[in-house]
Amino acid sequence: MATLSVERELRALLGDGAVLPPDAPGYGADATEGRGVSGRPDAVVLPASTADVARLVAWCYERDVPIVPRGGGSGFAGGAVPVSGGVVVGLGRMRAVRALDPPLWRMHVEAGLPTADVRRRARENGLWFPPDPGAAEQSQIGGNIATNAGGPHAFKYGVTGTWVTGLEAVLAPGEVVTVGGAIRKDVAGYDLRSLLVGSEGTLGIITAAWLRLLPAREASFPVVAHYGEVAAGCAAVEAVLAAGLEPAALEYLDRGTLRAAGAAYPGALPAGAGFTVVAEADGSAAEAARVRDELRAVLAPDALGVDVPAAPADVAALWRWRDGVSIAVTAARGGKVSEDIVVPLDRLGEAIEQTVEIGARHDLEACSWGHAGDGNLHSTFLVARDDSAGLERATRAGEELFALAVALGGSVSGEHGLGWVRRGALARQWPERLLAVHDDIKRAFDPKGLLNPGKKAARPVVDGAPLD
Ligand SMILES: Cc1cc2nc3c(=O)[nH]c(=O)nc-3n(C[C@H](O)[C@H](O)[C@H](O)COP(=O)(O)OP(=O)(O)OC[C@H]3O[C@@H](n4cnc5c(N)ncnc54)[C@H](O)[C@@H]3O)c2cc1C
């Protein structure tokens, strides 16, 4: 269908206020833009209600028009990018808090509410929403759910899906459904809520969610330990678990990452530091202090130095620094290709070292940082902006990285999803039988293949169409 008539018909269906022209800025790319992923939508729709989303999906399904759901566009997988055109559905206007029940520790919110607002509203009511993906001001709760986003606190508290007790979604061919709700347990049917969580806009459009909250933590104290080498740092990470400690977060940065981000570290990096561990103790004030002291004792023996920031401003500065690592690494050369493989914890050191070796084989500077306790690496190849040859080498390096993750007993993505940039990579780690089930699930939800075509494809895809 021609772009002009798509836009015109959608204006008639949903009103002028809900439709932007195809070239409206900000809807053709996400955080993978530096990798060269971009597209041009046939129209951009910003629905104001679930009913609007349902009418839109019905309209698209009747006319075979592809639909690309979009949250805050902070994704690292190209999932919200209209690589083959279609209607981009931005959820940003649907940001109501439908209910907030502090005594019952729960919140019912629309999908377009920014993640930071979810956390803020919980905090203002003495509660806490633990998931803390890095781009919280930009990303939306619907995008977090659609990617099952993680973050530093996933180590103790789990990823976003852990905190979702129910979903409202629009499924093809335009029907509003709810699965779960304001209930804390539900084993009545197959777990379709969990299937929609992490489905990256390929099974339906999430329009609202019921979230579980916790009473706010009384205290949280970080402990930062610096090591000379990867082996010593990873041994310290394992020692934390072996000691029976459960930090809220257990993060790491390797030497290359410290090279890019170390200058902004809000403390003094000891000479020779090549690996930094950031742990956090939390709970009641007494419990957090006890765990902090035990963490310090376990992390200290082979460390070059240990920092224990205590003043709230110093603690905030530390986490601001940690949140800014991805941006600092990008700034080092102007661009990067970052993957997010996950490996068993006892293979973390190998994965970190081999990331650098894979980079060297492709003539690329490489580094990694990430969620050590979860074995989740942001393995990254630095590429200068507009260096298309470097980008190609980085893509090939990424393929080697996927093979490494699988060989180590891990997965090609622990956090960011397959989206467009990792399409087909699942075939490296799943047998044919499971790939067929994956394809069948997609067909069951989306028989015409119009929901985010080509994204999260289990098998290799060319130009939006899966290969047979
Ligand atoms: C600086 C930075 C730091 C980051 N740190 C983290 C981190 O710590 N942990 C982490 O996991 N990720 C992180 N990310 C990646 C990104 O923020 C997450 O993947 C986030 O969950 C994406 O949310 P979004 O709203 O921006 O979604 P988008 O990028 O808009 O979309 C992501 C995917 O979800 C789909 N989608 C979005 N909304 C809906 C909906 N309502 N219904 C159905 N499908 C939908 C899209 O189609 C797409 O496939 C980071 C990104 C940046 C730029």
Side-chain angles (χ1 to χ4, degrees):
M1 191 177 237
T3 296
L4 256 183
S5 67
V6 169
E7 189 189 334
R8 197 178 334 109
E9 289 195 30
L10 287 174
R11 283 182 191 282
L13 182 76
L14 299 169
D16 280 340
V19 183
L20 300 178
D23 54 359
Y27 293 93
D30 66 3
T32 57
E33 194 170 13
R35 296 174 72 151
V37 182
S38 66
R40 190 177 191 277
D42 295 312
V44 177
V45 175
L46 306 178
S49 66
T50 301
D52 275 0
V53 177
R55 285 158 72 206
L56 172 69
V57 171
W59 185 92
C60 288
Y61 233 74
E62 266 168 38
R63 290 160 183 79
D64 292 341
V65 175
I67 302 159
V68 182
R70 184 180 179 93
S74 70
F76 274 136
V81 181
V83 284
S84 325
V87 175
V88 167
V89 187
L91 277 293
R93 286 171 74 204
M94 292 181 56
R95 50 173 64 203
V97 176
R98 290 183 180 172
L100 175 55
D101 303 304
L104 297 174
W105 307 354
R106 68 185 192 208
M107 200 191 275
H108 183 201
V109 298
E110 289 186 342
L113 190 66
T115 315
D117 286 353
V118 173
R119 291 172 61 86
R120 226 177 338 258
R121 291 298 298 270
R123 198 166 52 240
E124 287 164 1
N125 287 277
L127 296 167
W128 187 45
F129 182 64
D132 57 344
E137 296 288 348
Q138 184 185 348
S139 70
Q140 300 172 1
I141 190 64
N144 295 163
I145 294 168
T147 54
N148 204 3
H153 290 93
F155 177 64
K156 180 171 177 181
Y157 294 99
V159 291
T160 300
T162 314
W163 302 92
V164 176
T165 64
L167 288 175
E168 176 191 272
V170 173
L171 303 186
E175 193 167 331
V176 182
V177 298
T178 63
V179 53
I183 50 177
R184 291 173 65 96
K185 295 167 100 177
D186 182 8
V187 296
Y190 293 134
D191 191 354
L192 299 186
R193 176 186 51 81
S194 290
L195 203 49
L196 287 169
V197 171
S199 61
E200 300 184 59
T202 63
L203 302 183
I205 301 183
I206 295 160
T207 49
W210 285 265
L211 304 176
R212 199 159 64 80
L213 308 167
L214 283 180
R217 305 176 297 173
E218 193 180 348
S220 59
F221 301 126
V223 179
V224 187
H226 310 284
Y227 302 86
E229 300 301 331
V230 173
C234 286
V237 166
E238 286 190 37
V240 168
L241 272 73
L245 295 173
E246 193 182 24
L250 194 51
E251 303 279 294
Y252 85 93
L253 298 83
D254 81 346
R255 186 180 303 279
T257 307
L258 289 173
R259 208 177 297 129
Y265 175 66
L269 279 182
F275 193 93
T276 290
V277 173
V278 180
E280 184 189 77
D282 73 348
S284 68
E287 171 72 357
R290 180 188 66 78
V291 175
R292 175 198 57 203
D293 293 346
E294 289 186 25
L295 280 170
R296 179 165 40 190
V298 171
L299 291 171
D302 292 322
L304 300 173
V306 178
D307 297 328
V308 187
D314 294 341
V315 173
L318 174 73
W319 284 112
R320 241 190 341 268
W321 173 69
R322 168 61 189 89
D323 278 353
V325 163
S326 174
I327 291 165
V329 171
T330 307
R333 296 290 301 274
K336 65 174 165 57
V337 169
S338 211
E339 300 297 347
D340 70 313
I341 59 170
V342 57
V343 297
L345 185 51
D346 53 332
R347 313 303 292 271
L348 179 65
E350 278 169 83
I352 293 169
E353 310 255 37
Q354 290 205 33
T355 293
V356 176
E357 286 167 25
I358 289 171
R361 277 203 290 281
H362 293 272
D363 196 20
L364 294 164
E365 205 182 316
C367 66
S368 71
W369 69 95
H371 314 301
D374 287 327
N376 186 193
L377 301 79
H378 296 313
S379 294
T380 299
F381 305 106
L382 305 190
V383 182
R385 230 182 151 70
D386 301 327
D387 175 4
S388 53
L391 209 55
E392 253 175 58
R393 293 201 305 281
T395 304
R396 283 200 299 277
E399 295 289 332
E400 263 189 62
L401 204 61
F402 296 154
L404 169 71
V406 175
L408 294 179
S411 170
V412 296
S413 177
E415 217 171 40
H416 300 150
L418 298 183
W420 178 248
V421 299
R422 285 175 275 280
R423 63 194 184 279
L426 191 61
R428 290 178 175 277
Q429 71 192 52
W430 277 17
E432 176 52 37
R433 180 73 188 100
L434 287 183
L435 295 176
V437 172
H438 198 275
D439 293 347
D440 286 346
I441 289 170
K442 169 69 174 169
R443 267 190 291 273
F445 275 85
D446 180 20
K448 287 187 165 186
L450 294 175
L451 281 160
N452 225 354
K455 313 288 176 54
K456 210 177 178 71
R459 306 161 198 273
V461 175
V462 170
D463 293 337
L467 292 176
D468 283 326

